[in-house]
Amino acid sequence: MTRKNDTTRLRKKPVKLEEENDRVGKKKAKESPMSIYTLGVILSLIGAGIFLFLRMRAQESVKTPLNAPRVIKERSSSMPLAPHDAERFWGTYRSQLYFGMRTKYPTSPLFGLMWFDQFVGQGMPAVRHWCNQGDRLPRYGWLAHDGVNFGSQEIVDHRYIMMTDFVKRQGGSHGGDWTARFSLRPVPGQEKTVMSLLFYSVLQGQGKLTPEIVKNRLVAIHGSTEDLGSFTLRFPKSASNVKKTNFLTTYSPVVDQLKEVMMSRMLLENYEKGSKQSYIALGGHRMPPDFDGEPNFVVHQVTVSLPFEMEVVFESGSFKDRPNSLSGDTLTSELSKYHSHFDGKFENVFQLGKKNFGGHEVLLAKAALSNMVGGIGYWYGQSLVQSKYNEKPVEYWPAPLYSAVPSRSFFPRGFLWDEGFHNLLISKWDPEISKEIIGHWLDLMNQEGWIPREQILGDEARAKVPAEFVVQKNENANPPTLFLPLKLLIADLIKSEKAKDHDYLQAVFPRLKTWFNWFNVTQTGPIPFTYRWRGRDSETKRELNPKTLTSGLDDYPRASHPTDDEYHVDLRCWMAFAAGILADIAKSLGEPHEEYKATYDILTNNDLLDKLHWDPVTERYADYGLHSNKVKLEKPKPPKNIKQGQTPPSPQHLEKVRVTKVEPKNQFVDSFGYVSLFPFLLQIIEPTSPKLGKILTDLRNEKMLWTNHGLRSLAKIAPLYNKYNTEHDGPYWRGPIWININFLAVRALNYYSTNEGPYKDQARSIYVDLRKNLIDNVLKEYKRTGFIWEQYDDATGHGKGSHPFTGWSALVVAIMAEEY
Ligand SMILES: *[C@@H]1O[C@H](CO)[C@@H](O)[C@H](O)[C@H]1NC(C)=O
């Protein structure tokens, strides 16, 4: 609505100016015809100028950063790293790789691992590099990862099991050293396997790499870059089972096709003297033809039999007083030191041993947490964004993002609403990491107060996303879930005596206020204190129920016919929740908090909530809008007036379209499921409200939301339960069990079972059952499939969708620990 006003203002202002010009002009007419003319020209030029200026400003605003101090200060390359920055400077921040290292510097050199089997099949080898569901690996993921110093990952390939371990060591002024160790053992029956491991370094523009080659073996890469100063990457000789070593030095113009560039420089070489068998080898010095620059992409290849172990040792040039090399026995003992520290800290934070969880369960929990923490990435780049003032998408400013990811294989980038859930867990493990992640996200806010919800930064990230999903529109929100971890963090920040923590609060507060205000102004509904998700398509004919991607719950059924008159109960609850936390922060900072408190009071007022969103017929909380339950996807009838000689299109070739059998009317949307639960999930219903009793009874009902594996997203009795949204678009939030919402449910049940009210005992008993069902099923599926999944089937409990999905599904750890 505000947007509409903005346009009219923009359109009108210049016109008004022109009218005034005329009036001024006429008055002067009698005096001098010449000056009237001149003045007229000047004034209309000014008018046109103002018009252009305002239009340009409107076009610019979508890509203009908020004018407020950043939470995460930008570091120039000449600045030495502050100690706390140095700690997390290096990391496994290339989330989508099976194993890769980089720094948190925009143009950091990239390091990574690839591998493939020799002597299997013909043609190109299946090179592993980016996590890929198509590789069909039986299992992989971090088993331990502390987010700072160390990690240990197990990758189960078809013929062997590989551990990728790394440890860092601080020293010097560029983030210190690290060593990675890759150890492989064959799976039974595959002892004869011969495979190649490849470890590379590539520059992103800046810097220099010089390979050191001794007797045709790449022994080290000497490099220097802005972020790292000088450094050496060494490839110490492995003790045994090395069959061949090869290398590649070349130039790659891009970093998102390293595998392809490398594969185009492979050769077949004779494997053993006298035999005809050949193996796939890197081609040595192979610069592109007609290119006389320096190499920027250097790869070390070892072809080995199993078992095998190799190390890659990175040493920073400014680390002068290193006591010894971080390799061999020293590395082994550092790894085991960090491993036991990890185990100790894990028990300390989550206390699963104390809660009598068995060995298997604790291993699952450690793997879930570690893969979330180990999946944290760093990106730098520009989003493509668009406002209604831009004809075409424009580039956001270049910005960094440090964030966890939903899935290393399928969604290896930042998603705004996922990130709030991720940090519910991360903040328990390491609040410093969470604060930095949240800071990065808030720094992505533009001057309007908007944060793009999907962050596709840099070439590697963009390579993973279909073009139509790249552009982010500034009308579109996404649930402000960052308030969930903030609620946990803020309690400690407020108590903290450290200047750093106080500065952090001071820096996030203006951004949170602006963010809240953006929602409160742009996402309003038709009546005061109602809210509406934008971004629904009211024109589509293919969708059974037009999607609401912005709500995070993509195809969850809303009003069947999107209009500006609808309003959504989940968004209203998110707003209530956010207002409450802002009131708390403002109060603790001694800033005016009354407006937030007042908004919070209104949005949590149960009478008003019930008036707006309680459907007295179905006795459930619901969205309101232009809706019909009687919609269906049907094959359209072929057109009737076919001219002679023409063949009518066969129905198989026509895509199904939606048919509305009963005209829609403004009413509550009958669609019981996750959205109906929000007043309960975000603890807005009072513990004494009879509506709470009704919700508890309904969610415990197997015909509705209850299953033995968790709460399903849409009730079995809901009209669109498990329905396809288009002919090809299967149900997503229309039945399957999602762990993030189940986490909120368990958390709410815990709340209502510990606060006085008539439903306390009922809440308690459901809490116990739901928690057990969720833990048992995620664990059972992990054992059965090797993975944690995006969603779980409500009939069988089977994991579905992308995997590994250790984004919010990893919240099972918090559920086990009862840490809400
Ligand atoms: C949110 O918007 C409503 C309606 O415009 C307004 O009354 C309220 O003060 C706003 N709340 C805050 C905290 O800005």
Side-chain angles (χ1 to χ4, degrees):
M1 276 200 181
T2 328
R3 296 250 144 263
K4 241 181 232 156
N5 291 343
D6 278 351
T7 347
T8 29
R9 222 191 302 140
L10 277 171
R11 296 242 169 84
K12 266 189 185 147
K13 222 172 197 167
V15 178
K16 219 166 131 202
L17 268 171
E18 274 157 24
E19 279 167 12
E20 256 165 54
N21 298 351
D22 282 355
R23 253 184 280 131
V24 179
K26 267 174 204 143
K27 228 200 261 163
K28 292 221 166 174
K30 284 169 204 152
E31 292 160 24
S32 148
M34 188 56 203
S35 65
I36 296 168
Y37 178 74
T38 321
L39 201 66
V41 169
I42 290 171
L43 288 177
S44 43
L45 279 176
I46 292 175
I50 290 176
F51 175 78
L52 286 176
F53 170 75
L54 289 175
R55 204 179 64 175
M56 215 169 75
R57 208 170 61 171
Q59 287 172 343
E60 290 287 309
S61 94
V62 68
K63 55 168 180 156
T64 306
L66 182 70
N67 182 13
R70 289 170 40 149
V71 184
I72 308 296
K73 306 284 172 279
E74 203 156 14
R75 199 179 64 88
S76 76
S77 58
S78 54
M79 237 160 78
L81 284 164
H84 63 274
D85 287 338
E87 261 195 357
R88 292 193 297 275
F89 191 52
W90 272 110
T92 49
Y93 300 140
R94 301 177 69 200
S95 318
Q96 76 198 57
L97 265 65
Y98 287 116
F99 183 84
M101 299 284 293
R102 65 164 294 159
T103 69
K104 283 192 287 174
Y105 183 77
T107 53
S108 165
L110 308 176
F111 298 83
L113 176 73
M114 302 191 213
W115 73 92
F116 63 88
D117 295 357
Q118 295 280 2
F119 313 130
V120 284
Q122 301 287 312
M124 282 301 192
V127 179
R128 314 268 193 244
H129 182 216
W130 288 359
C131 300
N132 182 349
Q133 290 181 190
D135 292 341
R136 300 192 162 276
L137 296 189
R139 189 167 76 233
Y140 65 91
W142 295 100
L143 301 179
H145 196 304
D146 65 7
V148 184
N149 289 308
F150 121 108
S152 176
Q153 178 178 230
E154 182 193 50
I155 300 174
V156 181
D157 204 324
H158 302 291
R159 295 186 171 78
Y160 36 83
I161 298 168
M162 169 159 52
M163 297 299 298
T164 71
D165 297 334
F166 79 95
V167 171
K168 282 159 55 179
R169 177 148 79 181
Q170 288 302 323
S173 49
H174 294 86
D177 298 350
W178 52 263
T179 300
R181 175 185 281 169
F182 309 113
S183 12
L184 295 96
R185 60 178 201 278
V187 303
Q190 301 289 347
E191 289 78 6
K192 297 240 148 58
T193 303
V194 174
M195 55 87 69
S196 286
L197 278 170
L198 308 123
F199 197 85
Y200 67 83
S201 170
V202 65
L203 298 175
Q204 299 195 77
Q206 54 103 8
K208 190 171 160 63
L209 292 181
T210 313
E212 180 186 340
I213 291 152
V214 178
K215 289 194 201 145
N216 219 23
R217 178 179 181 274
L218 177 71
V219 297
I221 301 170
H222 304 278
S224 67
T225 61
E226 282 172 6
D227 48 333
L228 292 169
S230 67
F231 62 85
T232 304
L233 184 74
R234 293 193 291 112
F235 302 103
K237 262 196 178 146
S238 297
S240 60
N241 286 345
V242 176
K243 301 292 177 195
K244 299 278 177 186
T245 58
N246 299 83
F247 68 88
L248 173 70
T249 59
T250 189
Y251 177 82
S252 174
V254 290
V255 296
D256 57 337
Q257 286 174 31
L258 295 173
K259 181 165 115 178
E260 290 73 13
V261 168
M262 184 191 80
M263 286 171 79
S264 71
R265 314 260 197 285
M266 283 173 163
L267 311 165
L268 283 176
E269 277 190 6
N270 205 351
Y271 187 56
E272 273 155 349
K273 258 204 187 123
S275 101
K276 283 205 186 107
Q277 198 176 27
S278 50
Y279 79 109
I280 301 161
L282 293 179
H285 289 291
R286 299 264 295 195
M287 297 302 278
D290 306 326
F291 179 85
D292 57 1
E294 304 272 321
N296 71 346
F297 181 31
V298 180
V299 191
H300 175 70
Q301 176 186 14
V302 279
T303 300
V304 303
S305 62
L306 304 178
F308 176 73
E309 185 172 295
M310 108 177 186
E311 290 171 9
V312 176
V313 181
F314 177 93
E315 293 183 339
S316 167
S318 65
F319 190 168
K320 301 286 185 214
D321 46 1
R322 142 179 336 101
N324 49 19
S325 156
L326 186 54
S327 63
D329 291 345
T330 308
L331 177 65
T332 307
S333 83
E334 283 293 286
L335 274 169
S336 83
K337 186 188 89 189
Y338 278 116
H339 217 130
S340 46
H341 184 252
F342 173 88
D343 289 341
K345 181 174 173 187
F346 192 88
E347 180 55 23
N348 215 0
V349 173
F350 299 110
Q351 314 218 327
L352 299 189
K354 255 196 208 146
K355 288 190 189 290
N356 293 323
F357 281 105
H360 270 302
E361 292 154 320
V362 175
L363 285 180
L364 161 100
K366 285 181 181 168
L369 172 89
S370 298
N371 214 46
M372 179 187 277
V373 171
I376 291 174
Y378 175 93
W379 302 263
Y380 190 89
Q382 292 171 274
S383 292
L384 277 183
V385 300
Q386 192 165 18
S387 78
K388 60 200 281 185
Y389 303 110
N390 308 108
E391 263 167 52
K392 293 214 174 105
V394 292
E395 294 210 297
Y396 222 48
W397 64 93
L401 179 65
Y402 169 67
S403 174
V405 301
S407 161
R408 288 170 59 198
S409 60
F410 210 77
F411 302 110
R413 54 188 174 275
F415 288 81
L416 181 54
W417 98 292
D418 293 70
E419 205 49 32
F421 287 104
H422 298 163
N423 280 282
L424 279 167
L425 187 61
I426 297 171
S427 63
K428 304 256 168 21
W429 176 252
D430 190 332
E432 293 304 315
I433 294 181
S434 272
K435 281 189 272 178
E436 189 179 341
I437 288 177
I438 293 169
H440 270 97
W441 275 98
L442 293 177
D443 283 344
L444 289 170
M445 189 177 294
N446 76 1
Q447 84 178 10
E448 298 160 354
W450 173 67
I451 304 176
R453 76 192 147 93
E454 186 170 340
Q455 292 291 330
I456 310 161
L457 306 178
D459 291 339
E460 266 192 316
R462 235 178 243 188
K464 276 270 190 180
V465 187
E468 72 258 37
F469 296 121
V470 171
V471 177
Q472 306 288 309
K473 297 219 163 108
N474 76 337
E475 282 100 32
N476 292 348
N478 209 201
T481 55
L482 294 180
F483 283 100
L484 288 164
L486 276 167
K487 187 181 162 84
L488 304 175
L489 288 167
I490 264 133
D492 286 335
L493 284 169
I494 289 170
K495 274 183 269 159
S496 168
E497 313 251 289
K498 290 185 201 144
K500 181 173 82 146
D501 289 337
H502 187 74
D503 291 350
Y504 184 82
L505 273 182
Q506 290 285 1
V508 296
F509 182 58
R511 289 179 177 269
L512 294 175
K513 272 197 327 192
T514 311
W515 200 29
F516 182 89
N517 191 53
W518 179 84
F519 275 93
N520 201 33
V521 170
T522 67
Q523 306 292 304
T524 47
I527 18 182
F529 295 103
T530 60
Y531 296 89
R532 173 168 68 87
W533 296 110
R534 303 308 199 254
R536 302 194 69 207
D537 183 352
S538 57
E539 316 266 293
T540 170
K541 295 204 168 61
R542 298 166 53 238
E543 290 179 68
L544 186 59
N545 187 286
K547 282 195 198 165
T548 318
L549 295 170
T550 43
S551 72
L553 308 167
D554 302 17
D555 65 345
Y556 186 96
R558 309 281 182 163
S560 59
H561 292 67
T563 63
D564 290 358
D565 289 333
E566 67 195 59
Y567 47 96
H568 301 125
V569 63
D570 52 336
L571 181 50
R572 191 174 192 280
C573 294
W574 284 120
M575 294 301 291
F577 180 67
I581 294 163
L582 266 172
D584 291 347
I585 305 178
K587 208 165 168 188
S588 75
L589 288 176
E591 302 266 356
H593 68 281
E594 291 75 10
E595 205 183 347
Y596 296 103
K597 180 71 169 60
T599 300
Y600 174 75
D601 287 345
I602 294 172
L603 293 179
T604 53
N605 177 312
N606 276 215
D607 291 338
L608 187 57
L609 170 70
D610 294 353
K611 221 163 88 193
L612 290 167
H613 284 291
W614 182 259
D615 178 353
V617 179
T618 61
E619 292 191 86
R620 291 184 195 111
Y621 287 108
D623 289 342
Y624 188 90
L626 187 60
H627 182 67
S628 166
N629 268 338
K630 304 284 180 214
V631 289
K632 264 182 102 169
L633 292 177
E634 289 180 356
K635 286 278 184 200
K637 295 205 174 62
K640 282 211 178 94
N641 323 325
I642 301 291
K643 287 197 196 112
Q644 269 203 329
Q646 270 185 338
T647 29
S650 77
Q652 281 92 317
H653 291 112
L654 294 171
E655 198 181 340
K656 281 185 180 174
V657 293
R658 181 175 84 175
V659 183
T660 307
K661 304 280 182 182
V662 172
E663 277 309 294
K665 60 175 202 232
N666 272 320
Q667 57 179 322
F668 286 110
V669 178
D670 170 16
S671 193
F672 182 54
Y674 285 171
V675 165
S676 337
L677 296 185
F678 265 83
F680 155 77
L681 295 175
L682 294 179
Q683 302 164 21
I684 289 158
I685 329 177
E686 277 150 23
T688 52
S689 165
K691 309 237 151 45
L692 177 61
K694 179 71 167 63
I695 289 177
L696 292 177
T697 306
D698 283 353
L699 71 79
R700 186 66 183 77
N701 183 335
E702 293 184 13
K703 291 203 183 69
M704 302 203 198
L705 300 186
W706 193 260
T707 81
N708 288 335
H709 328 292
L711 298 177
R712 59 168 68 87
S713 37
L714 194 58
K716 269 189 156 172
I717 53 153
L720 297 194
Y721 170 71
N722 257 345
K723 289 267 194 304
Y724 270 58
N725 195 40
T726 69
E727 192 169 346
H728 310 289
D729 220 354
Y732 200 45
W733 293 85
R734 292 186 183 173
I737 297 158
W738 292 80
I739 303 300
N740 62 332
I741 302 295
N742 273 280
F743 169 85
L744 292 180
V746 174
R747 175 175 168 271
L749 288 164
N750 182 57
Y751 169 81
Y752 289 111
S753 63
T754 46
N755 281 273
E756 271 325 308
Y759 311 102
K760 198 174 155 180
D761 294 342
Q762 194 183 358
R764 181 76 209 157
S765 112
I766 301 177
Y767 169 80
V768 171
D769 293 347
L770 179 58
R771 174 167 173 266
K772 180 171 185 325
N773 288 347
L774 288 164
I775 297 171
D776 287 354
N777 190 59
V778 172
L779 190 73
K780 186 180 94 217
E781 284 300 289
Y782 183 69
K783 274 196 201 147
R784 189 179 72 85
T785 65
F787 291 105
I788 290 179
W789 293 77
E790 181 180 14
Q791 21 161 287
Y792 293 89
D793 188 84
D794 62 323
T796 61
H798 284 182
K800 299 208 295 190
S802 58
H803 58 279
F805 193 99
T806 40
W808 60 42
S809 297
L811 281 171
V812 68
V813 182
I815 296 174
M816 292 167 88
E818 305 189 271
E819 283 281 345
Y820 306 116

